[in-house]
Amino acid sequence: QQQVKQSPQSLIVQKGGISIINCAYENTAFDYFPWYQQFPGKGPALLIAIRPDVSEKKEGRFTISFNKSAKQFSLHIMDSQPGDSATYFCAASITSGTYKYIFGTGTRLKVLA
Amino acid sequence: DVKVTQSSRYLVKRTGEKVFLECVQDMDHENMFWYRQDPGLGLRLIYFSYDVKMKEKGDIPEGYSVSREKKERFSLILESASTNQTSMYLCASSQRDRGLIWGNEKLFFGSGTQLSVL
């Protein structure tokens, strides 16, 4: 119930391609879904986030697609660049009454030049 | 620029040693967290604190304790280090929502401490 399942574990994409990372959850009480980006040697940093009242959120080349009925959400990176090579974590939380995020297991993305 | 600073980037300790991991934030955040990052397991919450001298257990508190004597500093303590505590430890902080709604505050992470217990 509390898990967030993330796939794939690793991903290799050519420069200019589209990177897609998927997450699925069970707990329908989750109502906030952020993505964190982590470069080697650094801590994760918030990349983009979505609430379930919208089906899509776009910030530059990064888009979150949200499917409430399927309990799935995904991160799309358009025109992927070598500088996007990082580990990406999805997460979910309940914005009232709890303190914590449930993180996915992470996806290591490598964008080839 | 906001900053969460962890005292050591790499640490090597012996089994049975008492280990202190220190974290300092300069953003006057109320909330501070300790996570553990392991390959294939993601980020798992060990302990968190929402105020000075307050602490709450996360998902995997066994073998750990914490201390928060000052608002800006949150320490993670391994009372008797074991090899299964070899991991990357990440400290994070967040600003509490004034409406006291949890769960959507942006987390600011430190760069992590890679702890090896031999």
Side-chain angles (χ1 to χ4, degrees):
Chain A
Q1 273 281 326
Q2 285 291 84
Q3 278 188 323
V4 176
K5 294 182 179 179
Q6 183 171 348
S7 63
Q9 188 172 359
S10 63
L11 183 61
I12 299 175
V13 174
Q14 293 288 338
K15 180 182 176 181
I18 302 173
S19 304
I20 302 174
I21 305 170
N22 301 299
C23 286
Y25 62 97
E26 289 295 325
N27 190 344
T28 55
F30 288 141
D31 59 359
Y32 181 67
F33 303 90
W35 285 87
Y36 280 78
Q37 179 188 54
Q38 183 182 29
F39 292 108
K42 301 292 186 183
L46 180 65
L47 180 64
I48 187 173
I50 196 169
R51 296 189 181 279
D53 52 347
V54 296
S55 60
E56 186 176 281
K57 183 172 181 180
K58 185 174 181 179
E59 290 185 3
R61 296 184 293 108
F62 299 89
T63 300
I64 300 178
S65 297
F66 187 82
N67 186 330
K68 190 174 182 178
S69 61
K71 291 183 286 186
Q72 295 175 347
F73 59 109
S74 59
L75 177 69
H76 296 238
I77 306 174
M78 311 301 287
D79 186 27
S80 298
Q81 299 296 314
D84 297 329
S85 297
T87 299
Y88 292 81
F89 293 96
C90 62
S93 72
I94 303 169
T95 55
S96 59
T98 67
Y99 56 85
K100 65 179 182 179
Y101 295 95
I102 306 298
F103 282 89
T105 51
T107 296
R108 182 173 291 184
L109 170 66
K110 186 175 177 65
V111 181
L112 301 176
Chain B
D1 200 15
V2 297
K3 205 161 186 180
V4 178
T5 302
Q6 294 184 230
S7 55
S8 304
R9 182 72 182 97
Y10 298 97
L11 211 52
V12 180
K13 296 293 182 180
R14 296 284 181 187
T15 302
E17 277 193 78
K18 190 170 186 176
V19 181
F20 293 86
L21 302 183
E22 305 287 345
C23 176
V24 177
Q25 52 98 0
D26 65 0
M27 297 165 282
D28 200 36
H29 285 171
E30 289 89 354
N31 305 329
M32 295 189 76
F33 305 82
W34 275 106
Y35 286 89
R36 173 175 170 162
Q37 181 177 4
D38 298 288
L41 296 177
L43 304 174
R44 293 179 293 167
L45 182 63
I46 304 171
Y47 266 97
F48 76 102
S49 169
Y50 55 87
D51 205 345
V52 175
K53 296 191 184 296
M54 304 301 291
K55 60 184 179 183
E56 294 285 345
K57 292 180 180 179
D59 297 317
I60 52 166
E62 295 77 20
Y64 303 95
S65 62
V66 291
S67 173
R68 193 164 181 205
E69 297 295 320
K70 294 185 177 181
K71 189 176 185 180
E72 67 272 17
R73 187 178 296 269
F74 193 35
S75 303
L76 179 69
I77 304 155
L78 287 66
E79 295 291 341
S80 178
S82 63
T83 55
N84 63 12
Q85 292 179 310
T86 291
S87 185
M88 171 66 77
Y89 291 87
L90 290 164
C91 175
S93 71
S94 70
Q95 176 69 51
R96 185 186 308 162
D97 190 306
R98 293 305 169 190
L100 299 180
I101 295 173
W102 288 94
N104 61 347
E105 303 96 349
K106 179 179 177 180
L107 291 173
F108 292 86
F109 284 89
S111 294
T113 295
Q114 180 62 53
L115 173 66
S116 296
V117 182
L118 306 178

